[in-house]
Amino acid sequence: MVFTHDTESALASAVALVNSAEEPDTLTSREQLSAFFIEQGYTGRFDGDQAELDAVRDLRPSLRLLLTSDRDAAVELVNEILAGADALPRLVRHGDMDWHLHAVSDDSPLAQRIAVETAMAMIDVIRADELSRLDLCAADCDGIVLDLSRNRSRKFCSTACGNRTAVAAYRSRNAASPPVRE
């Protein structure tokens, strides 16, 4: 484990949210928001209405900026998010999660909780000088890659991008080689 469980979870959720904006957009309905909420293990207030969906969708560009910023710019963005939310870190335990950090109340709007959890996770990333764990997909897409592997070998935002790149390389190699005569 590179970071604590809650840090890794918050980073993975932020990357999933940002990447949901890639074509095809996978966060366009309240049902998709509900599925995202459940899949990412969020707790606390969930309104599930159009206003909440719009707020979470509107969060994607600012999280993209945070996750792709250099270290100094990321510090400024983290500080802005935390100050704007009047964040006050505290230890909590709920469900099957042991002690971890929350910095806003469980009844805060979902978009605010996502932003603050991401900012709190980025504190660990910045302090450990591990921003290289976040990168853009090596395929022809704008997806973000969260590489928590030991050897830092992850290059693609999804299996689909990795497969597309491998198929393209295979076809390119076959097109460039002369036909085999028997």
Side-chain angles (χ1 to χ4, degrees):
M1 183 176 285
V2 178
F3 300 108
T4 60
H5 178 268
D6 56 328
T7 294
E8 289 185 4
S9 178
L11 290 171
S13 296
V15 168
L17 178 58
V18 169
N19 288 347
S20 73
E22 295 300 310
E23 289 300 324
D25 191 325
T26 58
L27 191 61
T28 59
S29 69
R30 294 176 3 205
E31 293 77 20
Q32 289 170 324
L33 178 63
S34 179
F36 176 81
F37 182 85
I38 293 166
E39 288 167 8
Q40 299 305 321
Y42 285 108
T43 58
R45 176 178 163 191
F46 179 71
D47 299 334
D49 58 14
Q50 188 63 42
E52 187 168 64
L53 173 63
D54 293 342
V56 170
R57 286 175 52 85
D58 290 347
L59 183 59
R60 297 185 299 189
S62 60
L63 289 185
R64 171 179 267 295
L65 180 61
L66 173 59
L67 296 173
T68 59
S69 291
D70 65 43
R71 194 171 187 209
D72 291 338
V75 167
E76 288 183 36
L77 294 168
V78 164
N79 287 338
E80 286 175 22
I81 291 169
L82 296 177
D86 293 325
L88 182 60
R90 66 191 189 289
L91 286 167
V92 297
R93 180 170 50 189
H94 52 80
D96 54 353
M97 293 252 329
D98 200 6
W99 293 109
H100 60 281
L101 287 171
H102 280 204
V104 292
S105 70
D106 291 344
D107 63 349
S108 296
L110 178 59
Q112 182 183 50
R113 291 195 328 267
I114 292 171
V116 170
E117 285 183 18
T118 304
M120 294 293 291
M122 287 299 290
I123 289 172
D124 288 346
V125 174
I126 292 164
R127 290 178 54 202
D129 198 13
E130 290 282 358
L131 269 82
S132 64
R133 298 281 182 177
L134 293 158
D135 204 356
L136 294 177
C137 184
D140 290 331
C141 85
D142 291 323
I144 295 177
V145 178
L146 172 61
D147 186 357
L148 297 174
S149 66
R150 197 174 293 183
N151 64 356
R152 299 174 189 249
S153 60
R154 187 151 183 215
K155 296 178 184 175
F156 303 105
C157 66
S158 69
T159 304
C161 278
N163 289 345
R164 247 190 329 271
T165 302
V167 167
Y170 172 80
R171 289 180 178 158
S172 177
R173 283 191 308 273
N174 283 346
S177 64
V180 177
R181 293 194 173 152
E182 294 182 21

